[in-house]
Amino acid sequence: MRTQVGIIGAGPAGLLLAHLLHLRGIESVVLETRSREDVEGTIRAGVLEQGTVDLLTDTGVGARLHREGHQHNGIELRFDGRGHRIDFAELTGRAVTVYPQHEVLKDLIARRLADGGEIRFGATVTAVEGITTETPVIRFTDADGTSGLLRCELILGGDGSRTVTRALIPEATVRTDHFRQYPFAWFGILAEAPPSSDELIYANHANGFALISTRTPTVQRHYLQVDPSDTVEDWSDDRIWHELHTRVDGEGAEIKDGTIFAKTVLGFRSFVCEPMQYGRLFLAGDAAHTVPPTGAKGLNLAVADVYVLAQAMERYFRTGATDGLDAYTATALPRVWRAQHFSWWMTSMLHRMPDATGFDHKRQLAELDTVTRSAAGRALLAENYVGAPLY
Ligand code: DHB
């Protein structure tokens, strides 16, 4: 089998790149270890930056997102029992849209298949060879156990945070991994319940962080900061609702209880791989970098990466010029580090560190007070939350 771009991973990076390349007349094949049902059913975050929405809309995959997604013109930061609104519309003229990642993936898969694109679900990559030559090869095993071989000119490593492609960049001599672990996790629930708030609430509380989000008028998504060793069994429904009320209820806010139907514990880390390319291999999305979930930057960064890559690949296939490809890391990385900083900043301002003293908590409250009191502080937060335009 032969194609122009071999894409490893049918996540946001891989599927969107395949779509953007198709619009530029470039062929690709996507290889994905998991089944289509698994990819389309895995619950992830749900906040799309304005630039992500614009790109999906302008490339013809935004119809359902506009029908079923919900535009949010602000968020609330809650601390000391009171809410403080960050008005995105007023501060930036931009907004975010709450539309779950797996719905974006469903839309991209449907469009790719309608366009005659090839996505091989259940195909496990067993080897990638020749990435420093002009004729790289991807070996894989199909869902039925048969071995396959994909010859291509360029390769995308879009295989998520448990990536195997990242290891193809030689460690120490070429690759530097920047890594930070956090001493807590998020406990995420989906509940059949009415919305507790019109906008997302990010709450700082002495017991730890809580986030009130939403999916539909009848399904809500909430998160609690928990110990990283906690499991789903440690948190009964009663304990979850009690803790959400404790951390969020107060002036102008009261959590509405409901029936919990999904519970997950999410790990927390910051990671950046530099460079994001080696020879004919280009990493994008979580394979190249992971952000803590506070601020929901993960999918949006994957989108920004492949927007850069699609242009560079188009230039290469049209003219043979490699300057755009060679500049991929330098072009994509500043946005990655700005998102790392923003996610870390939101995390550090809102979460309780296990060794935090009374001083640390008071200092956090003062930081939140400083940010929300100042128009410049609110604008800084808003600009980063809605994200810089892609184009
Ligand atoms: C959601 C997740 C986030 O990490 C966030 O910052 C906001 C919302 C969500 O899943 O809805």
Side-chain angles (χ1 to χ4, degrees):
M1 206 178 12
R2 186 181 287 276
T3 193
Q4 288 175 287
V5 183
I7 296 180
I8 302 173
L15 290 170
L16 182 60
L17 182 67
H19 175 58
L20 297 178
L21 291 177
H22 171 74
L23 297 177
R24 291 163 163 83
I26 299 164
E27 286 172 13
S28 66
V29 172
V30 179
L31 302 173
E32 168 60 52
T33 311
R34 296 182 302 153
S35 67
R36 181 173 177 181
E37 296 66 41
D38 204 5
V39 170
E40 293 188 339
T42 306
I43 307 297
R44 296 270 161 77
V47 178
L48 308 184
E49 290 180 0
Q50 174 90 54
T52 298
V53 172
D54 292 345
L55 182 64
L56 295 173
T57 307
D58 295 346
T59 61
V61 282
R64 201 162 66 92
L65 138 68
H66 285 283
R67 267 199 321 274
E68 297 177 20
H70 296 273
Q71 184 173 315
H72 285 235
N73 294 320
I75 54 168
E76 181 177 293
L77 297 183
R78 270 192 98 69
F79 53 96
D80 248 355
R82 273 202 293 278
H84 304 260
R85 182 157 191 260
I86 307 290
D87 186 332
F88 300 154
E90 173 205 49
L91 294 160
T92 69
R94 296 162 71 77
V96 296
T97 298
V98 175
Y99 185 67
Q101 173 165 323
H102 67 280
E103 301 295 347
V104 175
L105 298 183
K106 280 187 206 167
D107 296 343
L108 287 169
I109 290 169
R111 178 59 188 262
R112 204 70 277 285
L113 298 178
D115 286 341
E118 185 161 359
I119 308 170
R120 293 213 171 195
F121 293 101
T124 303
V125 172
T126 52
V128 180
E129 294 159 6
I131 55 171
T132 53
T133 71
E134 290 181 3
T135 52
V137 169
I138 305 173
R139 294 185 191 278
F140 61 95
T141 308
D142 251 327
D144 63 4
T146 54
S147 306
L149 190 118
L150 180 61
R151 297 181 195 281
C152 43
E153 286 186 53
L154 305 175
I155 297 177
L156 178 83
D159 50 348
S161 56
R162 296 200 195 97
T163 172
V164 295
T165 53
R166 187 195 299 146
L168 296 164
I169 306 180
E171 210 177 344
T173 50
V174 180
R175 191 179 95 217
T176 306
D177 292 342
H178 302 281
F179 186 70
R180 188 185 211 281
Q181 197 81 40
Y182 295 81
F184 42 77
W186 274 11
F187 195 98
I189 61 156
L190 280 168
E192 198 75 46
S196 290
S197 160
D198 291 340
E199 294 182 340
L200 272 57
I201 301 177
Y202 288 78
N204 171 303
H205 188 272
N207 287 10
F209 172 69
L211 170 58
I212 301 308
S213 183
T214 182
R215 286 292 176 266
T216 69
T218 56
V219 174
Q220 311 312 320
R221 178 77 168 149
H222 305 323
Y223 300 94
L224 286 168
Q225 176 189 347
V226 298
D227 192 274
S229 64
D230 281 6
T231 64
V232 163
E233 289 70 40
D234 293 325
W235 286 81
S236 67
D237 294 7
D238 282 352
R239 184 176 175 206
I240 291 167
W241 291 118
H242 180 262
E243 201 56 30
L244 283 168
H245 282 293
T246 304
R247 296 188 192 183
V248 182
D249 285 1
E251 194 184 291
E254 192 185 343
I255 299 300
K256 297 201 174 85
D257 293 22
T259 309
I260 297 171
F261 62 89
K263 299 180 183 179
T264 38
V265 178
L266 282 74
F268 238 82
R269 59 214 175 89
S270 300
F271 174 80
V272 180
C273 163
E274 287 189 33
M276 291 163 64
Q277 66 197 98
Y278 182 64
R280 296 284 175 131
L281 171 72
F282 301 85
L283 304 181
D286 275 6
H289 41 71
T290 308
V291 286
T294 329
K297 287 288 166 217
L299 172 142
N300 297 291
L301 277 184
V303 167
D305 288 349
V306 300
Y307 178 69
V308 171
L309 264 183
Q311 293 173 89
M313 288 183 175
E314 178 181 25
R315 180 164 158 74
Y316 166 74
F317 284 113
R318 273 202 208 292
T319 69
T322 61
D323 54 346
L325 293 175
D326 296 342
Y328 171 56
T329 299
T331 310
L333 212 48
R335 186 185 190 103
V336 170
W337 276 113
R338 285 198 304 274
Q340 287 291 357
H341 171 260
F342 177 68
S343 309
W344 169 88
W345 178 48
M346 290 284 280
T347 299
S348 70
M349 196 158 55
L350 291 162
H351 291 67
R352 190 179 64 83
M353 292 292 161
D355 57 356
T357 60
F359 177 90
D360 296 321
H361 191 225
K362 293 285 185 190
R363 189 206 54 76
Q364 260 184 341
L365 296 177
E367 183 175 7
L368 286 160
D369 191 28
T370 301
V371 170
T372 53
R373 205 176 265 281
S374 148
R378 293 195 301 277
L380 179 69
L381 198 150
E383 282 162 16
N384 283 281
Y385 198 100
V386 300
L390 291 173
Y391 49 88

